[in-house]
Amino acid sequence: MPSRKPTSNPTSKPSKEPTRNPTRRPTRKPSKRPTRNPTTKPTTSDPSSCFTVTTYNSIDADIETLKNEISDEGARSHFLGGILRLAAHDFMDFDPFNTQNQMGPDGCFDPAHPANAGLPQDIWCRDCALQTLYDEKYSFVSRADFWIASANAVVRQTSVNNALDLRETFVWGREDADVCVGQGDRLPSPTGCDDVENVFVRRMGLGWKDAVALMGGHTLGRGSSEFSGHQGTWVDTDEDAQVFDKQYYEEIYMNSWRPRGRGTANQDWTTGRPTDRGNTRMMLNTDICLVHNIDGNLPCCTNPGRFYSNGQDRCLDDEATARRCPIYNQMNPRSEARTVVGQMLGGAYPNDNNEPFYNAFTDAWRKATTVGNDNLSPLGENCEQVR
């Protein structure tokens, strides 16, 4: 269990504008009385100028406290998934071909852009619990580092038996940006796999295995028609949407997904009946297209020919039932994504083997959260070890 105690004596009133961008090798001996306007080289002897194991564990414990204060299952799943989404939206805007601003994990997102809907309302705002925690306790580290450490805490706490602990791969020293014009335009649109390929593979330099593993983060949280226009959970229930496991991939393969809202800007997919589990189910085009070639093939259903006890096809849509959504053949470059989704299942269904997903996610998350950064530092037991 991570320590629930923060560093022993954090300062209650930091300098008016502490720098968020320390150099990688600050001096070892600070002055006894730091100036009100510190230089860009804070010292490592000051606990408020480095990111230690104690700080990391303290963030983990505080995220757990915030989580446990939420009694409603849907709200809790939204909070957990929102933290992971916040960190992901911060790195998915990376573009190495933009010489003016590559962006990437820089603690900045555009709150006015529709792609970020929900984040500035419930996750990162002046009165939001996560930002309040940062402002009151962790503002000595960058927002970018804090968001990733918080997302790591969510993954650990929600993984089966807390098996997926990303602390060993965490590094810090990301620099915050206060302005990121056009950030939302760089995020993948939920319309299809073109954007998944463009963001993860072409811009971020990841492979399809990495992209598929990162998409598995959809197993947490839920969509809201109030914000994104997409309503429901990717997995069966709000309780399931608080468990970080491979169920997302099982849902893609095992259910009969049909298009919802065809011809609208928020067209997505749903499965089953609202009365099946009392919960609306959802997949985006970017989820379904990891396995099925849906470009130009709508309407279709992913698994027609599966029936309820009354004889009704589980596709529940006559037009969609008439056509099975095709699976990528081996000649299609995206067939690699379909193969990887199959690997994430962990063997013959059903099984409890999350290891393929956990291993792939660990590697993909490390790459994604460090993209564009070459000089990040590992955690140390104390500030003397943080260099």
Side-chain angles (χ1 to χ4, degrees), residues 141-373:
V141 302
S142 70
R143 292 186 302 274
D145 286 342
F146 176 76
W147 291 352
I148 292 169
S150 298
N152 286 7
V154 167
V155 169
R156 186 196 69 79
Q157 293 168 25
T158 59
S159 62
V160 178
N161 298 321
N162 301 143
L164 188 50
D165 191 338
L166 301 168
R167 189 177 69 177
E168 295 303 314
T169 62
F170 178 80
V171 288
W172 67 280
R174 298 165 188 84
E175 299 179 356
D176 285 338
D178 293 325
V179 179
C180 46
V181 177
Q183 179 267 346
D185 293 331
R186 299 186 185 184
L187 298 177
S189 164
T191 56
C193 264
D194 282 345
D195 273 7
V196 173
E197 186 172 0
N198 185 49
V199 170
F200 291 119
V201 181
R202 293 176 186 151
R203 289 208 325 248
M204 294 183 66
L206 305 177
W208 272 110
K209 184 173 184 179
D210 301 315
V212 170
L214 292 173
M215 292 290 287
H218 279 165
T219 196
L220 292 181
R222 60 175 12 261
S224 170
S225 56
E226 179 184 357
F227 299 130
S228 66
H230 303 282
Q231 182 70 33
T233 55
W234 283 265
V235 292
D236 272 348
T237 65
D238 284 324
E239 290 81 3
D240 289 342
Q242 299 172 57
V243 180
F244 194 79
D245 63 4
K246 63 185 175 69
Q247 186 176 349
Y248 165 79
Y249 306 104
E250 294 174 343
E251 300 296 335
I252 293 177
Y253 261 119
M254 303 301 172
N255 282 310
S256 298
W257 294 96
R258 63 185 184 274
R260 178 176 63 178
R262 291 202 311 269
T264 70
N266 294 322
Q267 182 267 310
D268 54 19
W269 299 71
T270 193
T271 188
R273 301 171 294 195
T275 54
D276 286 347
R277 290 181 179 267
N279 188 57
T280 301
R281 302 294 310 284
M282 177 190 75
M283 286 276 172
L284 303 175
N285 286 340
T286 45
D287 302 305
I288 297 297
C289 72
L290 295 178
V291 172
H292 298 277
N293 186 359
I294 58 176
D295 292 342
N297 288 314
L298 298 185
C300 64
C301 178
T302 61
N303 277 311
R306 299 184 179 188
F307 302 96
Y308 288 106
S309 59
N310 64 357
Q312 185 179 25
D313 194 291
R314 289 180 178 269
C315 292
L316 297 178
D317 181 313
D318 290 342
E319 280 190 273
T321 301
R323 184 176 191 179
R324 179 184 295 272
C325 301
I327 292 177
Y328 296 117
N329 60 46
Q330 292 299 320
M331 300 301 292
N332 193 306
R334 293 178 188 161
S335 65
E336 183 179 353
R338 175 179 64 84
T339 299
V340 173
V341 172
Q343 293 170 353
M344 299 300 181
L345 298 176
Y349 180 83
N351 68 75
D352 296 321
N353 181 19
N354 285 291
E355 187 173 353
F357 172 45
Y358 285 177
N359 288 342
F361 185 85
T362 298
D363 191 42
W365 189 253
R366 176 187 58 79
K367 295 175 185 176
T369 57
T370 59
V371 67
N373 291 272

